[in-house]
C-alpha cells in the first residue's frame, strides 16, 4: 500500500505557512518516511505578498523531500469583514469545495487534514470524507485554552456587557492568573463586532478535532495544559489531545556570505549589553511614535539595535524601509552613534537574537518571535501591536516570568511614552533583583526548550505520539 499522506492547509501568511510546513517536515523525519506531506496552497489574497511564499515553495520542491504542493484556484475574498479572524474564517470557507475535491482525489490513505487556527470552517468537508481533522496552532498553549474557553465565557457574561465592564474587569482562563479584559486578543475584546462571533465559532469547533497540535513546549505553561486536559476549559467535556511539538523554528543553513551589517556591528559590543528592538514583518511606526522611542532610548543610556520600518504605502500592508531623516529627531543618530544602530530595513532576527551581545528584546510579541527569543535565552519587553499579542504580553509577564512589563496604550494605537520605554528598558537590562529573576527564568526556559526537542524530551515524545496517531488513523477518503 502506498504511504499515507498528511494534508496541510495553512493560511497564506509566511508566519503561518512556514511553521506549519516545518512541523510537517518533522513528522516526515519521525515517521521514517512512512508519511508523505501534501500541502494545499491557497493563493495570497494580495498579489504583492505572494512572492515570499512562492520562493519558499521552490526551495522545498528542490529539497527532494516527499512534499507535494497542490495549488488551489484564486477566489474573491470577502470585503465586508470586521477583523482578520472573520476574514480568514470566511475566505477559507469559500475553499471548502476545492479542499474536498483535492483530498477526495488522493489515491493513498490520508492520515489527517491539518488546518490553521482559524480554518475550522473546513471541518465539515473533512468530516464528510471520513478523514481525521487536526488543528495546528502557531500560538501558545494559553491561546489554545482561551479559544476552547471562549464559548463558555460568552455564555457567562450578558450579551450587552463587554468583558472589561464585568466586576474586576478580568476573565477567567483556567491555568492562568485572572486575565485583564484589556489584554484579550483583537477579536475577543469587542463583543459587538462580527469577528467576535467567528472567534467563538472556531473555539467551539476545536472540540471536534482528532487532535490539536501546538507550537509550544509543555514546560512553558504546564498549568494551562493541565487545565485543558482536565476539561476545565471546555466545561467538563473532554478536549481533544494536545500535542506540544515545539519550538518549531525554521533555521536556514548559514552560508559562506559575509555576515549582515547588524551582526557585524554586534560583534564589537560587550556581551549581553545590547537591547534589540524589532517588531515583526508588519511592525512600523510613524514619526511621533519613533520620536518617543528615540528619546526613551537616548535617556536610557543603553546600547541598542533598533529595526525601524516606515508605515506602509497606500494600498499595501507591508512596512516600507524607514526614512530615518523623516522618522527620527534631528541629531539623534549623531548623539547615539557610539552605542546604537538604527536599521531601516528587514534584519535577520534569529541571527541577531542568538548573538552574545544581545541582552534583551523589545518585541511586538508574535508567538514566532517569542519562541525565537526563548530558544536563545533572551528576556523580553513586550510591545503588542495587534492580534493576540496583548494576551501574549500578559502571559509572558504574569505566567511565564520571562519578560518585563511595559505600559502600552491600546486605545491610542498601542502608543508608548518615551519615559515608559526608558523605564522598561532599564528594568530589563539593569542588575536589580527583579531583572535577575527574569533573566534566570529565561535561561531556565531556554534549557527546557532545548531538552524538549531532544530524544526523550517532552516535544519529541509528543511528536512521536502524534506520528503514531496519524499512521494508525490513516484512511482512504470516502465520498
Amino acid at each position: 500500500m502506498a504511504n499515507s499522506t498528511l494534508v496541510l492547509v495553512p493560511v497564506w501568511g509566511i508566519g503561518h505557512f512556514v511553521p506549519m510546513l516545518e512541523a510537517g517536515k518533522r513528522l516526515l523525519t519521525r515517521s521514517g518516511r512512512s508519511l508523505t506531506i501534501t500541502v494545499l496552497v491557497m493563493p495570497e489574497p494580495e498579489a504583492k505578498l505572494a512572492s515570499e511564499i512562492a520562493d519558499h515553495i521552490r526551495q522545498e520542491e528542490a529539497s527532494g523531500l516527499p512534499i507535494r504542493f497542490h495549488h488551489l484556484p484564486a477566489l474573491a475574498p470577502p470585503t465586508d469583514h470586521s477583523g482578520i479572524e472573520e476574514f480568514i474564517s470566511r475566505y477559507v470557507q469559500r475553499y471548502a469545495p476545492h479542499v474536498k475535491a483535492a483530498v477526495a482525489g488522493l489515491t493513498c490513505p490520508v492520515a489527517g487534514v491539518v488546518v490553521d487556527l482559524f480554518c475550522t470552517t473546513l471541518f465539515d468537508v473533512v468530516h464528510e470524507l471520513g478523514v481525521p481533522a487536526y488543528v495546528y496552532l502557531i500560538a501558545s498553549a494559553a491561546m489554545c485554552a482561551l479559544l476552547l474557553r471562549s464559548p463558555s465565557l460568552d455564555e457567562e457574561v450578558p450579551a450587552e456587557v463587554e468583558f472589561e465592564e464585568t466586576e474586576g474587569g478580568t476573565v477567567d482562563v483556567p491555568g492562568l492568573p485572572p486575565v485583564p479584559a484589556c489584554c484579550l486578543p483583537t477579536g475577543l475584546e469587542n463583543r459587538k463586532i462580527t469577528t467576535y462571533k467567528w472567534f467563538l465559532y472556531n473555539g467551539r469547533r476545536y472540540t471536534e478535532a482528532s487532535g490539536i497540535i501546538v507550537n509550544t513546549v509543555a514546560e512553558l505553561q504546564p498549568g494551562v495544559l493541565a487545565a485543558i486536559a482536565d476539561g476545565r476549559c471546555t466545561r467538563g467535556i473532554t478536549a481533544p489531545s494536545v500535542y506540544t511539538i515545539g519550538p518549531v523554528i525554521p533555521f536556514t543553513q548559514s552560508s559562506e556570505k559575509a555576515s549582515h551589517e547588524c551582526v557585524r556591528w554586534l560583534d564589537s559590543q560587550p556581551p549581553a549589553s545590547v537591547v534589540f528592538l524589532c517588531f515583526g514583518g508588519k511592525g512600523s511606526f510613524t514619526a511621533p511614535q519613533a520620536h518617543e522611542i528615540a528619546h526613551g532610548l537616548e535617556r536610557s543610556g543603553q546600547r541598542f539595535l533598533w529595526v525601524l520600518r516606515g508605515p506602509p504605502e497606500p494600498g499595501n500592508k507591508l512596512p516600507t524601509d524607514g526614512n530615518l531623516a523623516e522618522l527620527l529627531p534631528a541629531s539623534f543618530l549623531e548623539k547615539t552613534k557610539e552605542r546604537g544602530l538604527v536599521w531601516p530595513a528587514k534584519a535577520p532576527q534569529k541571527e541577531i537574537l542568538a548573538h552574545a551581545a544581545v541582552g534583551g528584546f523589545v518585541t511586538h510579541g508574535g508567538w514566532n518571535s517569542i519562541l525565537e527569543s526563548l530558544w536563545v535565552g533572551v528576556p523580553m519587553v513586550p510591545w503588542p501591536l495587534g492580534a493576540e499579542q496583548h494576551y501574549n504580553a500578559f502571559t509572558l509577564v504574569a505566567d511565564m516570568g520571562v519578560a518585563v512589563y511595559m505600559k502600552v496604550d491600546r486605545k491610542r494605537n498601542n502608543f508608548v511614552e518615551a519615559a515608559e520605554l526608558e523605564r522598561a528598558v532599564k528594568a530589563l537590562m539593569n542588575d536589580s533583583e527583579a531583572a535577575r529573576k527574569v533573566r534566570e527564568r529565561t535561561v531556565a526556559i531556554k534549557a527546557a526548550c532545548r531538552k524538549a526537542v531532544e530524544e526523550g524530551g517532552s516535544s519529541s515524545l509528543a511528536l512521536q505520539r502524534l506520528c503514531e496517531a496519524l499512521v494508525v488513523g490513516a484512511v482512504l477518503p470516502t465520498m
Side-chain angles (χ1 to χ4, degrees):
M1 183 179 287
N3 284 357
S4 303
T5 194
L6 180 64
V7 180
L8 306 182
V9 191
V11 298
W12 44 90
I14 195 77
H16 289 248
F17 190 92
V18 172
M20 187 186 281
L21 187 56
E22 186 70 18
K25 288 161 66 175
R26 293 188 183 191
L27 283 164
L28 279 182
T29 301
R30 176 63 63 169
S31 74
R33 299 293 180 89
S34 61
L35 286 175
T36 66
I37 299 294
T38 301
V39 185
L40 304 188
V41 183
M42 288 179 282
E44 163 62 54
E46 295 186 30
K48 294 177 182 176
L49 306 180
S51 61
E52 204 169 8
I53 294 288
D55 290 344
H56 198 79
I57 289 174
R58 279 193 289 271
Q59 291 174 16
E60 295 298 343
E61 286 178 331
S63 70
L65 292 173
I67 302 174
R68 174 176 171 260
F69 294 91
H70 179 97
H71 294 266
L72 301 177
L75 299 178
T79 57
D80 56 345
H81 58 91
S82 64
I84 188 63
E85 295 85 2
E86 178 183 0
F87 177 85
I88 292 172
S89 299
R90 288 174 53 203
Y91 186 43
V92 169
Q93 192 172 34
R94 298 182 182 190
Y95 276 96
H98 300 283
V99 170
K100 183 176 183 180
V103 176
L106 294 168
T107 56
C108 63
V110 177
V113 175
V114 183
V115 305
D116 221 323
L117 78 168
F118 288 109
C119 298
T120 61
T121 49
L122 297 175
F123 274 10
D124 290 330
V125 295
V126 177
H127 294 334
E128 287 171 17
L129 293 168
V131 172
Y134 290 82
V135 181
Y136 181 65
L137 264 70
I138 58 153
S140 66
M143 186 64 176
C144 181
L146 180 60
L147 278 154
L148 289 167
R149 172 85 169 101
S150 60
S152 56
L153 268 179
D154 180 66
E155 294 173 9
E156 292 166 13
V157 178
E160 67 277 6
V161 178
E162 294 290 349
F163 290 123
E164 64 181 357
E165 297 167 349
T166 59
E167 185 177 352
T170 62
V171 299
D172 168 48
V173 179
L176 290 178
V179 179
C182 62
C183 294
L184 288 172
T186 303
L188 260 189
E189 92 290 5
N190 183 351
R191 302 177 77 197
K192 296 181 179 67
I193 61 175
T194 50
T195 289
Y196 174 80
K197 300 300 182 185
W198 281 103
F199 207 113
L200 305 186
Y201 171 93
N202 283 282
R204 194 174 291 115
R205 298 211 69 177
Y206 274 28
T207 58
E208 301 173 22
S210 297
I212 302 174
I213 308 162
V214 187
N215 184 9
T216 193
V217 175
E219 289 79 5
L220 282 187
Q221 294 180 305
V224 169
L225 290 167
I228 295 172
D230 292 346
R232 282 180 278 151
C233 296
T234 46
R235 282 188 169 177
I237 299 170
T238 303
S241 297
V242 174
Y243 300 94
T244 53
I245 66 166
V248 178
I249 305 172
F251 288 98
T252 53
Q253 296 294 321
S254 58
S255 64
E256 302 270 333
K257 295 187 295 185
S259 59
H260 193 274
E261 186 175 331
C262 290
V263 176
R264 294 200 301 273
W265 181 83
L266 287 169
D267 289 341
S268 64
Q269 308 303 316
S273 66
V274 176
V275 60
F276 175 43
L277 299 91
C278 190
F279 300 92
K282 295 184 178 178
S284 65
F285 293 109
T286 58
Q289 180 64 90
H291 278 232
E292 293 290 321
I293 298 172
H295 294 316
L297 290 174
E298 184 179 346
R299 294 202 294 258
S300 75
Q302 295 292 333
R303 299 174 188 269
F304 64 87
L305 170 53
W306 175 14
V307 177
L308 175 57
R309 311 294 303 281
E313 295 175 347
N316 200 345
K317 292 183 180 179
L318 293 181
T320 55
D321 287 351
N323 185 327
L324 301 188
E326 292 181 0
L327 290 172
L328 294 174
S331 75
F332 170 74
L333 293 175
E334 181 63 28
K335 288 178 183 176
T336 59
K337 66 180 181 181
E338 298 301 323
R339 59 181 176 86
L341 174 64
V342 182
W343 188 254
K346 283 185 178 181
Q349 179 173 289
K350 288 194 284 283
E351 192 177 356
I352 289 170
L353 280 171
H355 198 286
V358 173
F361 184 25
V362 179
T363 171
H364 68 303
W367 189 244
N368 289 334
S369 291
I370 289 169
L371 289 179
E372 289 169 12
S373 199
L374 293 176
W375 181 254
V376 294
V378 174
M380 288 163 273
V381 169
W383 183 339
L385 300 176
E388 88 287 13
Q389 294 156 20
H390 287 273
Y391 184 63
N392 287 345
F394 169 77
T395 60
L396 286 174
V397 175
D399 183 43
M400 288 187 262
V402 294
V404 168
Y405 170 77
M406 183 169 71
K407 183 179 179 182
V408 178
D409 192 339
R410 191 169 186 175
K411 294 183 178 178
R412 292 176 61 198
N413 196 29
N414 304 306
F415 196 80
V416 173
E417 304 280 355
E420 178 63 4
L421 178 65
E422 176 189 358
R423 181 205 62 78
V425 167
K426 286 180 176 177
L428 180 71
M429 302 295 285
N430 68 20
D431 207 28
S432 68
E433 179 65 21
R436 282 199 295 273
K437 283 185 177 179
V438 169
R439 284 195 286 270
E440 288 169 4
R441 176 63 179 158
T442 308
V443 168
I445 290 294
K446 171 187 174 180
C449 288
R450 303 291 175 122
K451 184 177 180 181
V453 297
E454 292 175 358
E455 198 64 31
S458 62
S459 295
S460 175
L461 292 173
L463 194 71
Q464 181 63 38
R465 288 196 302 273
L466 174 59
C467 190
E468 291 168 358
L470 291 169
V471 171
V472 169
V475 293
L476 283 168
T478 59
M479 287 298 288

